[in-house]
Amino acid sequence: MILTVTLNTALDITYRIPSLRAGSSHRVSEVTERPGGKGVNVARVLAALGHEVTVTGFSGGTTGRVLRDLLTEVPHLTDALVPIAGTTRRTVAVADGRSGDTTQLNEPGPTVSHAEWSAFQEVYEDLLASASAVALCGSLPPGVPVGAYAGLIRTARAAGVPTLLDTSGAALRRGVAGRPDILKPNADELAELTGSHEPSRATQDARRRGAGTVVASLGPEGLLAVAPEGRWRAAPPAPLHGNPTGAGDSLAAGLLSGLVEHLPWPDRLARAVALSAATVLSPVAGEFDWGAYKELLGRVAANAA
């Protein structure tokens, strides 16, 4: 079982409109809801690939109940979310049909009490007993200690479970000190962590700070991976046009699935890039296009850097 941790889960709401105009009223042509938060998105992709996956984190209030109801519809996915008194946040995406751009509005999340945080840690430790890998993803809700990810990584390490960390800001700076097996920042997060905008130098710096392997997502340029075994670059075979929502989460799912399947690094990276690109090309934000994924998987290659 692969475990994903989403401390700041969300109910993702997407409004589709013909054209977004600031300061104007709009008639929405389509509304969709889906369970969200980065770790939940990673779990949904892993489940679609056929892996048994368990999601944990926090859920509360009306939106939390809707989120959990939607999770029951996902095959291969088990809900182990911890209930809290606060209400799970919403994220609202406004998809502009004319430009193809998406405007995102993210609520901050509910405040987590000390007792709720303690309850989560007990659930997390129990779940690690049957986990083959764990992904720790996304922002921290109010009330959760800024060093939470570092502590959760250390707990997983003590249980012999490899970890992937995908977060930003102070949570990233503190989390990398826990020595995650895989760190997956984007270019901006990597620069913020290390102070360097040169990816090759920044990835090496991130490893010195504690990460075992750094897989940096560089947008249209694909990714750069620096591992103890070597360095590789991988990118889509052609420029992509579409919605990048969820592409980073699909990338993380590709890395995790390759880890538990014991694939060599070039194959893991090719899968991650193909999944990420297929997410950009999907007509549904945050999903990946199976046909595009299969086609891209045969065309993406990871080359030594």
Short mmCIF file of all heavy atoms in Angstrom, two decimals, residues 35-81:
data_model
loop_
_atom_site.label_atom_id
_atom_site.label_comp_id
_atom_site.label_asym_id
_atom_site.label_seq_id
_atom_site.Cartn_x
_atom_site.Cartn_y
_atom_site.Cartn_z
N PRO A 35 -12.42 15.61 -5.05
CA PRO A 35 -11.58 15.67 -3.86
C PRO A 35 -10.20 16.20 -4.22
O PRO A 35 -9.64 15.81 -5.26
CB PRO A 35 -11.53 14.21 -3.38
CG PRO A 35 -11.83 13.40 -4.60
CD PRO A 35 -12.74 14.24 -5.45
N GLY A 36 -9.66 17.10 -3.40
CA GLY A 36 -8.39 17.73 -3.76
C GLY A 36 -7.45 17.90 -2.58
O GLY A 36 -7.67 17.41 -1.48
N GLY A 37 -6.41 18.67 -2.85
CA GLY A 37 -5.24 18.73 -2.01
C GLY A 37 -4.18 17.88 -2.69
O GLY A 37 -4.50 16.84 -3.30
N LYS A 38 -2.91 18.31 -2.64
CA LYS A 38 -1.89 17.68 -3.47
C LYS A 38 -1.77 16.18 -3.24
O LYS A 38 -1.70 15.39 -4.18
CB LYS A 38 -0.54 18.36 -3.24
CG LYS A 38 -0.48 19.79 -3.78
CD LYS A 38 0.88 20.43 -3.58
CE LYS A 38 1.92 19.81 -4.47
NZ LYS A 38 1.65 20.01 -5.90
N GLY A 39 -1.75 15.75 -1.98
CA GLY A 39 -1.62 14.32 -1.71
C GLY A 39 -2.81 13.51 -2.18
O GLY A 39 -2.66 12.36 -2.61
N VAL A 40 -4.00 14.09 -2.10
CA VAL A 40 -5.19 13.42 -2.62
C VAL A 40 -5.09 13.27 -4.13
O VAL A 40 -5.41 12.22 -4.70
CB VAL A 40 -6.47 14.18 -2.22
CG1 VAL A 40 -7.69 13.58 -2.92
CG2 VAL A 40 -6.66 14.15 -0.71
N ASN A 41 -4.60 14.32 -4.80
CA ASN A 41 -4.42 14.23 -6.25
C ASN A 41 -3.41 13.14 -6.62
O ASN A 41 -3.61 12.38 -7.57
CB ASN A 41 -3.94 15.58 -6.80
CG ASN A 41 -4.95 16.69 -6.62
OD1 ASN A 41 -6.15 16.43 -6.47
ND2 ASN A 41 -4.49 17.93 -6.64
N VAL A 42 -2.31 13.08 -5.87
CA VAL A 42 -1.32 12.03 -6.10
C VAL A 42 -1.96 10.65 -5.93
O VAL A 42 -1.75 9.74 -6.74
CB VAL A 42 -0.13 12.19 -5.13
CG1 VAL A 42 0.81 10.99 -5.22
CG2 VAL A 42 0.64 13.47 -5.44
N ALA A 43 -2.78 10.50 -4.90
CA ALA A 43 -3.43 9.21 -4.62
C ALA A 43 -4.35 8.81 -5.75
O ALA A 43 -4.40 7.62 -6.13
CB ALA A 43 -4.20 9.29 -3.31
N ARG A 44 -5.08 9.75 -6.30
CA ARG A 44 -6.02 9.43 -7.38
C ARG A 44 -5.28 8.95 -8.62
O ARG A 44 -5.74 8.02 -9.30
CB ARG A 44 -6.89 10.64 -7.69
CG ARG A 44 -7.91 10.93 -6.58
CD ARG A 44 -8.59 12.28 -6.68
NE ARG A 44 -9.23 12.49 -7.95
CZ ARG A 44 -8.81 13.36 -8.86
NH1 ARG A 44 -7.76 14.12 -8.62
NH2 ARG A 44 -9.46 13.51 -9.99
N VAL A 45 -4.13 9.54 -8.91
CA VAL A 45 -3.34 9.09 -10.06
C VAL A 45 -2.76 7.70 -9.80
O VAL A 45 -2.79 6.82 -10.66
CB VAL A 45 -2.21 10.10 -10.39
CG1 VAL A 45 -1.33 9.57 -11.51
CG2 VAL A 45 -2.81 11.44 -10.78
N LEU A 46 -2.23 7.48 -8.59
CA LEU A 46 -1.71 6.17 -8.25
C LEU A 46 -2.80 5.10 -8.34
O LEU A 46 -2.56 3.99 -8.85
CB LEU A 46 -1.14 6.20 -6.82
CG LEU A 46 0.19 6.92 -6.65
CD1 LEU A 46 0.47 7.14 -5.16
CD2 LEU A 46 1.33 6.15 -7.29
N ALA A 47 -3.99 5.43 -7.86
CA ALA A 47 -5.10 4.48 -7.94
C ALA A 47 -5.45 4.18 -9.39
O ALA A 47 -5.74 3.03 -9.75
CB ALA A 47 -6.31 5.03 -7.18
N ALA A 48 -5.43 5.20 -10.24
CA ALA A 48 -5.72 5.00 -11.66
C ALA A 48 -4.68 4.10 -12.32
O ALA A 48 -4.99 3.37 -13.27
CB ALA A 48 -5.78 6.35 -12.38
N LEU A 49 -3.45 4.12 -11.80
CA LEU A 49 -2.39 3.24 -12.31
C LEU A 49 -2.50 1.82 -11.76
O LEU A 49 -1.73 0.95 -12.15
CB LEU A 49 -1.02 3.82 -11.95
CG LEU A 49 -0.63 5.14 -12.64
CD1 LEU A 49 0.66 5.67 -12.04
CD2 LEU A 49 -0.49 4.95 -14.14
N GLY A 50 -3.45 1.61 -10.85
CA GLY A 50 -3.68 0.27 -10.32
C GLY A 50 -3.05 -0.02 -8.98
O GLY A 50 -3.13 -1.15 -8.48
N HIS A 51 -2.46 0.98 -8.34
CA HIS A 51 -1.84 0.79 -7.03
C HIS A 51 -2.87 0.93 -5.93
O HIS A 51 -3.76 1.78 -6.00
CB HIS A 51 -0.73 1.81 -6.81
CG HIS A 51 0.50 1.54 -7.61
ND1 HIS A 51 1.47 0.67 -7.22
CD2 HIS A 51 0.90 2.03 -8.82
CE1 HIS A 51 2.43 0.63 -8.13
NE2 HIS A 51 2.12 1.44 -9.11
N GLU A 52 -2.73 0.12 -4.90
CA GLU A 52 -3.55 0.29 -3.70
C GLU A 52 -2.97 1.47 -2.92
O GLU A 52 -1.77 1.50 -2.62
CB GLU A 52 -3.53 -0.97 -2.84
CG GLU A 52 -4.17 -2.18 -3.52
CD GLU A 52 -5.64 -1.95 -3.87
OE1 GLU A 52 -6.33 -1.28 -3.07
OE2 GLU A 52 -6.07 -2.44 -4.92
N VAL A 53 -3.81 2.43 -2.60
CA VAL A 53 -3.34 3.66 -1.98
C VAL A 53 -4.29 4.07 -0.86
O VAL A 53 -5.51 3.86 -0.96
CB VAL A 53 -3.20 4.79 -3.03
CG1 VAL A 53 -4.50 5.08 -3.72
CG2 VAL A 53 -2.62 6.05 -2.42
N THR A 54 -3.72 4.61 0.21
CA THR A 54 -4.51 5.11 1.34
C THR A 54 -4.22 6.59 1.51
O THR A 54 -3.06 7.02 1.46
CB THR A 54 -4.14 4.36 2.63
OG1 THR A 54 -4.49 2.98 2.49
CG2 THR A 54 -4.88 4.94 3.83
N VAL A 55 -5.28 7.37 1.69
CA VAL A 55 -5.11 8.80 1.92
C VAL A 55 -5.39 9.11 3.38
O VAL A 55 -6.35 8.61 3.97
CB VAL A 55 -6.04 9.65 1.01
CG1 VAL A 55 -5.69 9.47 -0.45
CG2 VAL A 55 -7.50 9.32 1.24
N THR A 56 -4.51 9.92 3.96
CA THR A 56 -4.76 10.40 5.31
C THR A 56 -4.45 11.89 5.37
O THR A 56 -3.87 12.46 4.45
CB THR A 56 -3.95 9.61 6.36
OG1 THR A 56 -4.42 9.97 7.67
CG2 THR A 56 -2.47 9.90 6.26
N GLY A 57 -4.86 12.50 6.46
CA GLY A 57 -4.79 13.94 6.63
C GLY A 57 -6.00 14.34 7.46
O GLY A 57 -6.43 13.59 8.34
N PHE A 58 -6.55 15.51 7.17
CA PHE A 58 -7.68 16.01 7.96
C PHE A 58 -8.90 16.28 7.07
O PHE A 58 -8.76 16.63 5.90
CB PHE A 58 -7.30 17.30 8.68
CG PHE A 58 -6.19 17.13 9.67
CD1 PHE A 58 -4.94 17.67 9.44
CD2 PHE A 58 -6.41 16.43 10.85
CE1 PHE A 58 -3.91 17.51 10.36
CE2 PHE A 58 -5.39 16.26 11.78
CZ PHE A 58 -4.14 16.81 11.54
N SER A 59 -10.06 16.13 7.67
CA SER A 59 -11.31 16.40 6.97
C SER A 59 -12.36 16.83 7.99
O SER A 59 -12.46 16.23 9.07
CB SER A 59 -11.80 15.16 6.21
OG SER A 59 -13.07 15.38 5.64
N GLY A 60 -13.14 17.88 7.64
CA GLY A 60 -14.16 18.33 8.57
C GLY A 60 -15.24 19.15 7.91
O GLY A 60 -15.05 19.70 6.82
N GLY A 61 -16.38 19.24 8.56
CA GLY A 61 -17.47 20.08 8.09
C GLY A 61 -18.18 19.55 6.84
O GLY A 61 -17.95 18.41 6.41
N THR A 62 -19.01 20.39 6.27
CA THR A 62 -19.80 19.99 5.10
C THR A 62 -18.92 19.65 3.92
O THR A 62 -19.13 18.63 3.24
CB THR A 62 -20.78 21.12 4.72
OG1 THR A 62 -21.62 21.41 5.84
CG2 THR A 62 -21.63 20.71 3.54
N THR A 63 -17.92 20.49 3.63
CA THR A 63 -17.07 20.20 2.48
C THR A 63 -16.25 18.93 2.72
O THR A 63 -15.98 18.17 1.79
CB THR A 63 -16.13 21.38 2.17
OG1 THR A 63 -15.45 21.77 3.37
CG2 THR A 63 -16.90 22.56 1.62
N GLY A 64 -15.88 18.70 3.97
CA GLY A 64 -15.16 17.46 4.28
C GLY A 64 -16.01 16.23 4.02
O GLY A 64 -15.50 15.22 3.52
N ARG A 65 -17.30 16.30 4.33
CA ARG A 65 -18.19 15.17 4.07
C ARG A 65 -18.34 14.93 2.58
O ARG A 65 -18.35 13.79 2.12
CB ARG A 65 -19.55 15.40 4.72
CG ARG A 65 -19.53 15.28 6.24
CD ARG A 65 -20.94 15.20 6.81
NE ARG A 65 -21.68 16.44 6.61
CZ ARG A 65 -21.63 17.48 7.44
NH1 ARG A 65 -20.86 17.43 8.51
NH2 ARG A 65 -22.33 18.57 7.20
N VAL A 66 -18.46 16.00 1.81
CA VAL A 66 -18.56 15.85 0.35
C VAL A 66 -17.28 15.24 -0.21
O VAL A 66 -17.32 14.33 -1.05
CB VAL A 66 -18.83 17.23 -0.32
CG1 VAL A 66 -18.78 17.09 -1.84
CG2 VAL A 66 -20.18 17.78 0.12
N LEU A 67 -16.14 15.71 0.29
CA LEU A 67 -14.85 15.18 -0.17
C LEU A 67 -14.77 13.68 0.09
O LEU A 67 -14.39 12.90 -0.79
CB LEU A 67 -13.73 15.92 0.55
CG LEU A 67 -12.27 15.57 0.19
CD1 LEU A 67 -11.38 16.79 0.36
CD2 LEU A 67 -11.74 14.43 1.05
N ARG A 68 -15.16 13.26 1.29
CA ARG A 68 -15.06 11.84 1.63
C ARG A 68 -16.05 11.00 0.82
O ARG A 68 -15.74 9.86 0.45
CB ARG A 68 -15.26 11.64 3.13
CG ARG A 68 -14.23 12.39 3.96
CD ARG A 68 -14.30 12.09 5.43
NE ARG A 68 -13.60 10.84 5.72
CZ ARG A 68 -13.22 10.50 6.95
NH1 ARG A 68 -13.48 11.29 7.98
NH2 ARG A 68 -12.60 9.35 7.16
N ASP A 69 -17.22 11.54 0.55
CA ASP A 69 -18.18 10.83 -0.30
C ASP A 69 -17.59 10.61 -1.70
O ASP A 69 -17.76 9.53 -2.29
CB ASP A 69 -19.48 11.62 -0.41
CG ASP A 69 -20.31 11.56 0.86
OD1 ASP A 69 -20.03 10.69 1.72
OD2 ASP A 69 -21.22 12.40 1.02
N LEU A 70 -16.90 11.63 -2.23
CA LEU A 70 -16.30 11.50 -3.56
C LEU A 70 -15.16 10.48 -3.56
O LEU A 70 -14.95 9.78 -4.56
CB LEU A 70 -15.80 12.86 -4.04
CG LEU A 70 -16.88 13.90 -4.35
CD1 LEU A 70 -16.26 15.27 -4.61
CD2 LEU A 70 -17.70 13.47 -5.57
N LEU A 71 -14.43 10.40 -2.45
CA LEU A 71 -13.33 9.43 -2.38
C LEU A 71 -13.83 7.99 -2.45
O LEU A 71 -13.12 7.11 -2.95
CB LEU A 71 -12.53 9.63 -1.10
CG LEU A 71 -11.64 10.87 -1.02
CD1 LEU A 71 -10.99 10.95 0.36
CD2 LEU A 71 -10.58 10.86 -2.11
N THR A 72 -15.05 7.73 -1.98
CA THR A 72 -15.58 6.36 -2.02
C THR A 72 -15.78 5.88 -3.44
O THR A 72 -15.89 4.67 -3.68
CB THR A 72 -16.92 6.26 -1.26
OG1 THR A 72 -17.91 7.08 -1.92
CG2 THR A 72 -16.76 6.72 0.19
N GLU A 73 -15.82 6.80 -4.40
CA GLU A 73 -16.05 6.42 -5.79
C GLU A 73 -14.76 6.04 -6.52
O GLU A 73 -14.80 5.63 -7.68
CB GLU A 73 -16.72 7.59 -6.53
CG GLU A 73 -18.04 8.03 -5.93
CD GLU A 73 -18.59 9.30 -6.57
OE1 GLU A 73 -17.97 9.76 -7.56
OE2 GLU A 73 -19.61 9.80 -6.09
N VAL A 74 -13.61 6.17 -5.85
CA VAL A 74 -12.32 5.92 -6.50
C VAL A 74 -11.86 4.50 -6.21
O VAL A 74 -11.56 4.17 -5.06
CB VAL A 74 -11.25 6.93 -6.01
CG1 VAL A 74 -9.93 6.69 -6.75
CG2 VAL A 74 -11.72 8.36 -6.21
N PRO A 75 -11.77 3.61 -7.22
CA PRO A 75 -11.28 2.26 -6.99
C PRO A 75 -9.83 2.28 -6.50
O PRO A 75 -9.06 3.17 -6.83
CB PRO A 75 -11.37 1.60 -8.37
CG PRO A 75 -12.32 2.45 -9.16
CD PRO A 75 -12.16 3.84 -8.63
N HIS A 76 -9.48 1.28 -5.70
CA HIS A 76 -8.12 1.07 -5.16
C HIS A 76 -7.73 2.11 -4.11
O HIS A 76 -6.57 2.14 -3.69
CB HIS A 76 -7.06 1.08 -6.28
CG HIS A 76 -7.31 0.10 -7.37
ND1 HIS A 76 -7.25 -1.26 -7.17
CD2 HIS A 76 -7.63 0.28 -8.69
CE1 HIS A 76 -7.51 -1.88 -8.31
NE2 HIS A 76 -7.75 -0.97 -9.23
N LEU A 77 -8.65 2.98 -3.69
CA LEU A 77 -8.31 4.04 -2.75
C LEU A 77 -9.05 3.84 -1.43
O LEU A 77 -10.27 3.62 -1.41
CB LEU A 77 -8.65 5.40 -3.34
CG LEU A 77 -8.17 6.64 -2.57
CD1 LEU A 77 -7.87 7.79 -3.53
CD2 LEU A 77 -9.23 7.10 -1.57
N THR A 78 -8.31 3.94 -0.32
CA THR A 78 -8.88 3.81 1.03
C THR A 78 -8.79 5.15 1.75
O THR A 78 -7.74 5.80 1.74
CB THR A 78 -8.12 2.75 1.85
OG1 THR A 78 -8.24 1.48 1.18
CG2 THR A 78 -8.69 2.64 3.25
N ASP A 79 -9.88 5.55 2.36
CA ASP A 79 -9.98 6.81 3.10
C ASP A 79 -9.61 6.58 4.56
O ASP A 79 -10.28 5.84 5.26
CB ASP A 79 -11.41 7.35 2.96
CG ASP A 79 -11.70 8.56 3.86
OD1 ASP A 79 -10.77 9.05 4.53
OD2 ASP A 79 -12.86 9.00 3.88
N ALA A 80 -8.50 7.22 5.00
CA ALA A 80 -8.11 7.17 6.42
C ALA A 80 -7.94 8.59 6.95
O ALA A 80 -7.06 8.85 7.78
CB ALA A 80 -6.83 6.36 6.58
N LEU A 81 -8.78 9.51 6.48
CA LEU A 81 -8.71 10.89 6.94
C LEU A 81 -9.17 11.00 8.40
O LEU A 81 -10.05 10.26 8.84
CB LEU A 81 -9.58 11.79 6.05
CG LEU A 81 -9.12 11.94 4.60
CD1 LEU A 81 -10.18 12.64 3.77
CD2 LEU A 81 -7.80 12.69 4.54
#
